């Protein structure tokens, strides 16, 4: 039986245009883009072109774009970079505000600010749909707040967050707003202005670009000190070599995603709503999470009473369906309930996340629902429930 891949929130298949761009660039980019020779200039031209088009898609200029090894590194630079720059200029602010359902990279980077730099953290909770209370978040921002961290779309339940409202409060109080848009760039058409971000982070593997590539886009107010030192590349914001062929492929992937944004979005939205409606109807004791409207178009989270999420994901895998279980990005997901579902105050056991992509068909979703019914029923039977 053909496999059905329903884990696009972890990684998308590489887009054809990105594969072609990588193949075209890989033999052209023998030279280090930091060198003055002809080979270096060829690489530099490609890098500059890719940086300019990517930055323009986000509504910024090439001087404000930093390529990284993925979303996680971009997030660390967005969280720790402004804090290091603030310390260097003698800025005494030591407070950050963070949403409770942020990705673990954001939560852990802010925890590092607390542990290593004496910051206090305010973690702002969410409602049952996974949406941060904007009023509470705005009330938490004080004159001592250096930065606020609020994602654009949640990676586990698809809730979108009120970044624009919070951005206004950040500006009023002189704090920076970092928006983790790893699940949105290339999928929901975000720009720096639209979400109100001073720092915006993205992961190219999540919109059909190369894995292990991400970026940080900076608005005019953001000041950063680098986390990696060693050379003056990327305007001294991130030292170290750059895989120019991957960057060229990432830029092309974002362009292709942007060109097809509307059609991919509406196709996925139809699938998401179909899956969301069908899962609780297929089996008793199943709940779906996250908001119905104004949500990420590709993500459906469901919990099934009386089963274990890891066992359920394994049972679906055996039946040909790739889904993710448990806490996104926990190294041993079965050991820890999803912090997102815990913060929402919903049932956490038996959690799996389905995430559809542009090539997912209606029949794939219907087959996944049938497999889900079969898997939940047989696991409950095996547990004697
Ligand atoms: C919302 C969000 N932020 C950050 C990341 C981390 O991105 P990367 O895997 O590129 O390090 C992910 C990946 O799952 C994510 O979903």
């Amino acid at each position: 039986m053909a496999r059905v891949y329903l884990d696009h929130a972890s990684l998308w298949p590489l887009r054809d245009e990105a594969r072609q761009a990588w193949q075209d660039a890989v033999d052209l980019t023998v030279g280090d883009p930091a060198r003055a020779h002809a080979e270096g200039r060829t690489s530099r031209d490609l890098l500059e072109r890719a940086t300019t088009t990517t930055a323009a898609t986000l509504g910024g200029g090439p001087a404000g774009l930093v390529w990284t090894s993925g979303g996680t590194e971009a997030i660390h630079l967005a969280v720790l970079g402004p804090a290091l720059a603030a310390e260097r200029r003698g800025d005494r602010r030591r407070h950050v505000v963070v949403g409770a359902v942020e990705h673990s990279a954001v939560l852990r980077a802010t925890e590092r600010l607390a542990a290593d730099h004496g910051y206090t953290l305010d973690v702002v909770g969410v409602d049952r749909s996974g949406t941060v209370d904007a009023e509470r978040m705005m009330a938490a921002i004080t004159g001592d707040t250096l930065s606020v961290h609020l994602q654009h779309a949640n990676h586990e339940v698809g809730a979108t967050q009120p970044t624009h409202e919070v951005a206004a409060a950040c500006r009023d109080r002189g704090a920076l707003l970092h928006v983790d848009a790893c699940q949105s760039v290339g999928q929901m058409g975000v720009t720096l202005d639209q979400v109100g971000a001073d720092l915006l982070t993205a992961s190219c593997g999540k919109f059909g670009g190369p894995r292990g590539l991400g970026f940080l886009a900076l608005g005019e107010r953001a000041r950063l000190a680098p986390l990696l030192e060693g050379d003056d590349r990327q305007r001294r914001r991130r030292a170290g070599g750059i895989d120019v062929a991957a960057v060229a492929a990432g830029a092309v992937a974002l362009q292709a995603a942007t060109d097809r944004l509307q059609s991919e979005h509406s196709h996925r939205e139809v699938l998401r709503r179909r899956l969301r409606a069908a899962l609780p109807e297929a089996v008793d004791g199943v709940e779906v999470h996250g908001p119905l409207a104004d949500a990420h178009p590709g993500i459906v989270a469901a919990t099934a009473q009386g089963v274990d999420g890891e066992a359920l994901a394994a049972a679906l895998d055996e039946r040909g369906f790739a889904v993710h279980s448990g806490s996104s990005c926990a190294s041993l997901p079965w050991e820890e309930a999803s912090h997102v579902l815990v913060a929402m105050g919903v049932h956490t056991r038996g959690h799996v996340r389905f995430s559809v992509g542009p090539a997912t068909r209606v029949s794939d979703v219907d087959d996944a629902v049938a497999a889900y019914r079969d898997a939940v029923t047989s696991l409950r039977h095996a547990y004697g429930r």
Side-chain angles (χ1 to χ4, degrees), residues 2-25:
R3 298 278 304 170
V4 176
Y5 183 74
L6 297 174
D7 194 18
H8 291 77
S10 293
L11 276 178
W12 280 43
L14 193 65
R15 289 180 190 266
D16 291 342
E17 295 91 334
R19 183 179 297 104
Q20 188 61 53
W22 184 85
Q23 279 168 355
D24 293 346

Side-chain angles (χ1 to χ4, degrees), residues 9-10 69-73 75 103 105-106 151 153-155 180-183 202-204 206 212-213 328-329 353:
S10 293
S69 63
T72 299
E73 188 196 332
I75 286 166
H103 188 269
V106 176
Q151 63 192 180
N154 183 262
H155 47 293
D180 174 14
C182 282
Q183 290 293 344
S203 172
C204 296
K206 294 190 195 293
L213 180 71
S328 291
C329 305
R353 178 189 68 189

Side-chain angles (χ1 to χ4, degrees), residues 49-65 67 192 215 217 254:
R49 241 180 296 143
T51 306
T52 301
T53 57
T54 301
T57 304
L58 301 165
L65 199 95
W67 294 101
L192 282 160
F215 53 81
L254 184 57

Side-chain angles (χ1 to χ4, degrees), residues 30-51:
V30 281
D32 182 335
R35 299 289 171 259
H37 45 61
E39 289 79 358
R41 288 199 302 278
T42 304
S43 294
R44 192 157 60 251
D45 283 352
L46 263 178
L47 178 60
E48 283 173 0
R49 241 180 296 143
T51 306

Side-chain angles (χ1 to χ4, degrees), residues 171-338:
R171 270 194 307 277
D172 285 351
R173 285 164 226 169
L176 295 171
L177 177 64
H178 162 223
V179 175
D180 174 14
C182 282
Q183 290 293 344
S184 315
V185 168
Q187 302 191 55
M188 299 178 79
V190 297
T191 65
L192 282 160
D193 264 5
Q194 211 178 51
V195 300
D198 298 298
L199 306 111
L200 185 137
T201 43
S203 172
C204 296
K206 294 190 195 293
F207 53 78
R211 293 91 179 79
L213 180 71
F215 53 81
L216 166 62
L218 300 169
E220 280 167 13
R221 295 194 310 140
R223 299 284 173 274
L224 285 185
L227 309 187
L228 307 180
E229 303 273 7
D231 57 52
D232 292 343
R233 288 183 168 95
Q234 304 212 65
R235 296 179 169 79
R236 292 218 60 207
R237 293 188 186 119
R238 193 249 190 200
I242 301 177
D243 182 345
V244 178
V247 164
V252 166
L254 184 57
Q255 190 58 55
T258 307
D259 291 346
R260 283 186 223 123
L261 199 73
Q262 283 204 333
S263 61
E264 290 186 349
H265 190 287
S266 35
H267 172 68
R268 296 169 77 202
E269 181 66 11
V270 168
L271 299 180
R272 178 180 78 90
R273 287 184 181 242
R274 189 176 181 96
L275 190 53
R276 232 188 115 91
L279 290 171
E281 278 175 11
V283 215
D284 288 344
V286 168
E287 216 187 318
V288 287
H289 306 292
L292 175 62
D294 295 329
H296 186 284
I299 294 177
V300 176
T303 50
Q305 280 169 21
V307 299
D308 174 68
E310 194 62 25
L312 181 52
L316 286 166
D317 190 34
E318 274 169 26
R319 288 163 176 77
F321 298 85
V323 303
H324 181 61
S325 76
S327 176
S328 291
C329 305
S331 49
L332 295 171
W334 56 91
E335 286 188 345
E336 200 184 330
S338 148

